[in-house]
Amino acid sequence: ARYLPLASIIAHAMGRDTSPLARQVARLLQALTGSAYADVPVQAVFSQATHDTLELECLEHIWRMVEYELLLGTGSLDAVQQGTVEAGHTYGPFYVGKNPALAFDGGVPFGLTYRQHNAWMLMGGGLELLRRVYADFGVLQFPGGNTGTQMGGWFRREVRTLEDLKGLRMRIPGLGGLVMGRLGVVPQTLAAGDIYPALERGAIDATEFAGPYDDEKLGFYKVARYYYYPSFWEPSAQLSFLVAQREWARLPKEFQEAFQAAASEVNLTMMAKYDALNPPALRRLLAAGVRLRKWPAEIMRKAEEEARALYEEQAAKDPGYRRVYTAYWAFRDEVFRWFAVAELGYQAFAFPSV
């Protein structure tokens, strides 16, 4: 067998090794530890799990598992399930049409925040519950990053009351769209590249996307000046790696461990990078004339009421959904009581008013 030292991978990542093999392995690592959402850089996460070497006989097999061109997007689950690719990096709520319980993989309106969601997934039984759902598609799921609580979107005109939402055309997919639809909004589904032209033409009146760092790059502030917060429909937005079970079983144990280490690294570093990049991005947006607005309390209250009604309706007709929802909400109730003590107590005193 031939081996590629990890030092060569690191050297390539730093621009000092340009061999074709080093480039390929660097792309592998970037696929595993990078994210288009937050530009997470290449990480040397394979070091211990692969004993500082990569066996070339395994390289092609692993590379096919993480071919990056098809990893990210709304077609990932289908692509992995059908064998088009062996792994993908995506967002569970994209697939609520296949199984509504997949909403709880990413996060739901008025649900858990990033830290709370991570605790539920890793320590509260959430990962086991979601893996049972994904197993129906022949897929194994690994938490793979989070944006944290997102912003509430960009609006061409100010929203002061529930009445102002009636008939408003907003790009907002998934559960957020269902909840806002119950408030009178007309939800639209648009790809990222289509949002700005639609706002500029007046084809839509508002859009949500992510947070200051990502939103600034897409230029929404140039055509919609009112920037609302928070995104009550995405208090957490966890992404996941999806791996075909049949391909996972074929991987040598050391490479399974390497993949898990890489996914765990993403789950940590993506949120850290967003927390570092969002504050200066928000400062730049405000300096450009963006008008920051907090959602009125009456809208938040009504949206929460409609969200809970939506969950209860689905739970009444779907035992699998009810199992996940019941466990999620019980964890939420418990962890919210704790966060209301130390976390909220400190934040209410220390955080500046907006």
Side-chain angles (χ1 to χ4, degrees), residues 10 28 59 72 158 196 204 217 231 291 330 332:
I10 298 171
L28 162 65
L59 180 60
L72 191 61
E158 195 165 4
Y196 184 94
I204 58 175
K217 291 190 292 185
S231 170
R291 299 166 186 173
R332 175 191 181 276

Side-chain angles (χ1 to χ4, degrees), residues 157-283:
R157 64 177 187 268
E158 195 165 4
V159 176
R160 293 188 177 91
T161 68
L162 279 167
E163 192 62 30
D164 292 333
L165 292 175
K166 301 294 174 59
L168 186 140
R169 299 161 300 171
M170 182 178 183
R171 183 269 183 190
I172 177 168
L175 281 182
L178 292 178
V179 172
M180 291 296 270
R182 288 177 173 231
L183 303 186
V185 168
V186 182
Q188 310 284 315
T189 300
L190 294 172
D194 297 328
I195 301 172
Y196 184 94
L199 271 174
E200 188 176 38
R201 295 193 316 269
I204 58 175
D205 306 303
T207 185
E208 64 84 48
F209 194 73
Y213 174 66
D214 290 325
D215 293 0
E216 181 189 32
K217 291 190 292 185
L218 291 172
F220 301 142
Y221 66 96
K222 298 173 184 176
V223 288
R225 306 297 280 181
Y226 293 99
Y227 198 22
Y228 276 79
Y229 71 94
S231 170
F232 50 78
W233 52 87
E234 282 179 313
S236 165
Q238 178 194 276
L239 292 101
S240 290
F241 289 105
L242 306 182
V243 182
Q245 289 178 341
R246 61 186 177 279
E247 299 299 336
W248 182 257
R250 293 170 57 194
L251 269 185
K253 186 174 186 296
E254 61 267 31
F255 289 104
Q256 290 182 349
E257 292 172 350
F259 192 100
Q260 291 178 82
S264 295
E265 183 81 2
V266 175
N267 209 37
L268 173 66
T269 56
M270 185 186 293
M271 187 70 258
K273 190 151 192 180
Y274 267 125
D275 281 342
L277 293 174
N278 277 328
L282 180 60
R283 185 175 65 248

